Amino acid sequence: MSNNIKISTELAPDGQAYKTVTLTNKQGMKISFCDWGATWLSCQVPTAGGLREVLLGCHSLSAYQKQTGYLGATVGRYANRITNSTFKLDGISYQLTPNQKNHQLHGGPVGFDQQRWQIISLTDNQVEFELHSADGDQGFPGNLTVTAIYHLTDNNEFKIQFYAKTDKSTPVNLTNHAYFNLDGDGSGDARRQTLSVDADQYLPVDEDCIAIGGLASVTVDDMDLRTPRQILDNFSHSAARNRVKGYDHAYLLNHHHEVVAKLIAHDQKVAMEIMTNKPGIQVYTGNFLAGTPNRDGKTYQQYEGIALETAFLPNSPNQANYPQPSCILNPDEQYTYHTTYRFITK
Ligand code: GLA
């Protein structure tokens, strides 16, 4: 293995040291990860003014254990909420471990963000993590093996490839929960950024972020992001956003274009394009970020970062009629989903 791996002096919840790895490219872009949660720790992009950190992060690895915002974490086995922590598959009802009221959020109390992943291979621009999730883990059926390959190109693209295999049918929905502030971590309100999402439909939700009434047109209640829009635009105007203190909504991607979403810094010096083969994206404006440890040893305020989580629609195990591929992985199949973040800088 190359020497871009570091053993931390800090110990993870399993009593062993954290391992961190850093990938670099020819343009000087640097991204780093931790084996705990296969967490994306840092993303420094080259601008005319030097490297800019565009990812929210904590001041120490152990501080990551003191937050519930899933900063940079790999989320699974099922990202987002499964209503009432239950679903039925092949005539069997499964009871999952709840962790948000009676619902399961982001794979349960000991989700993939709370487990140590093994580093399988490492080069200067690629790292491969692997995780085994046992049959019954957080209530899910089947022994699942998950691989996350993180690759940095010389074109300032970061590509995440997720693969999974199971020995029993199970829902699988893997994503990364990074929060972006393209004006720079710590620069303040991330809602000054401009966002576009190629989606005609979104899922309206109640105060607990549980879907109400199925997919709706983005033109309903001012949720339209099809043309670039400053996130602050009319922010408190829509009832949909008011119910959850901002955006915390799943959009069903049209896939009309290669780029499904684009975020642009307020100062225009950094833009990020997202490409993916996943059916949806959760747009979340950090409505619960307040109190999360930041890089300065203080805490973040609400809205200091935007999460754009590519995923299946929430609660899909209970919604066979959503117009998207099935989220159920069967033993003869391989889960193969990828997301690329392309950074364009000045
Ligand atoms: C997701 C959810 C949010 C919130 C965050 C974590 O994005 O949709 O409601 O739970 O994760 O804080």
Side-chain angles (χ1 to χ4, degrees), residues 118-139:
Q118 299 305 316
I119 299 170
I120 298 299
S121 69
L122 177 63
T123 64
D124 285 346
N125 64 358
Q126 183 167 298
V127 59
E128 183 177 350
F129 288 100
E130 190 181 82
L131 180 78
H132 296 285
S133 167
D135 189 5
D137 185 11
Q138 311 301 298

Side-chain angles (χ1 to χ4, degrees), residues 94-323:
Y94 290 94
Q95 188 54 51
L96 304 172
T97 318
N99 58 336
Q100 193 172 72
K101 296 196 175 164
N102 51 333
H103 311 299
Q104 189 186 73
L105 172 68
H106 293 332
V110 193
F112 293 177
D113 60 299
Q114 287 301 325
Q115 298 187 38
R116 185 183 294 274
W117 295 57
Q118 299 305 316
I119 299 170
I120 298 299
S121 69
L122 177 63
T123 64
D124 285 346
N125 64 358
Q126 183 167 298
V127 59
E128 183 177 350
F129 288 100
E130 190 181 82
L131 180 78
H132 296 285
S133 167
D135 189 5
D137 185 11
Q138 311 301 298
F140 289 101
N143 291 294
L144 188 79
T145 299
V146 180
T147 309
I149 300 177
Y150 295 160
H151 183 82
L152 178 63
T153 72
D154 285 329
N155 203 19
N156 293 343
E157 291 161 332
F158 168 42
K159 182 167 190 181
I160 300 181
Q161 288 165 272
F162 286 124
Y163 297 100
K165 292 284 285 176
T166 183
D167 60 3
K168 279 185 200 164
S169 297
T170 178
V172 182
N173 186 21
L174 306 169
T175 194
N176 186 283
H177 204 301
Y179 292 80
F180 301 95
N181 189 339
L182 300 184
D183 285 280
D185 177 33
S187 66
D189 194 336
R191 296 174 301 172
R192 294 177 307 158
Q193 297 172 105
T194 294
L195 177 64
S196 52
V197 176
D198 179 25
D200 294 340
Q201 289 176 287
Y202 80 107
L203 266 185
V205 291
D206 68 11
E207 290 71 14
D208 292 332
C209 267
I210 298 300
I212 37 172
L215 285 159
S217 163
V218 292
T219 55
V220 173
D221 214 0
D222 192 27
M223 295 296 284
D224 198 345
L225 294 168
R226 290 175 295 184
T227 47
R229 180 172 186 193
Q230 190 180 46
I231 299 167
L232 266 175
D233 177 37
N234 258 335
F235 191 75
S236 311
H237 167 84
S238 103
R241 291 196 292 272
N242 266 325
R243 273 196 292 275
V244 289
K245 302 188 174 62
Y247 288 88
D248 194 350
H249 296 90
Y251 283 77
L252 180 67
L253 294 166
N254 294 330
H255 285 291
H256 291 160
H257 309 283
E258 186 203 8
V259 174
V260 299
K262 184 167 182 176
L263 188 65
I264 305 170
H266 183 55
D267 73 359
Q268 309 275 317
K269 290 186 178 156
V270 181
M272 181 183 77
E273 295 177 335
I274 298 183
M275 283 85 79
T276 189
N277 62 344
K278 293 188 205 171
I281 193 165
Q282 182 81 8
V283 175
Y284 172 54
T285 42
N287 315 336
F288 307 120
L289 257 182
T292 303
N294 68 9
R295 282 204 172 80
D296 295 336
K298 298 191 183 109
T299 55
Y300 284 112
Q301 309 285 316
Q302 205 180 12
Y303 311 131
E304 274 201 74
I306 309 299
L308 297 167
E309 309 150 56
T310 56
F312 285 94
L313 294 173
N315 195 35
S316 296
N318 292 306
Q319 297 288 348
N321 295 329
Y322 279 159

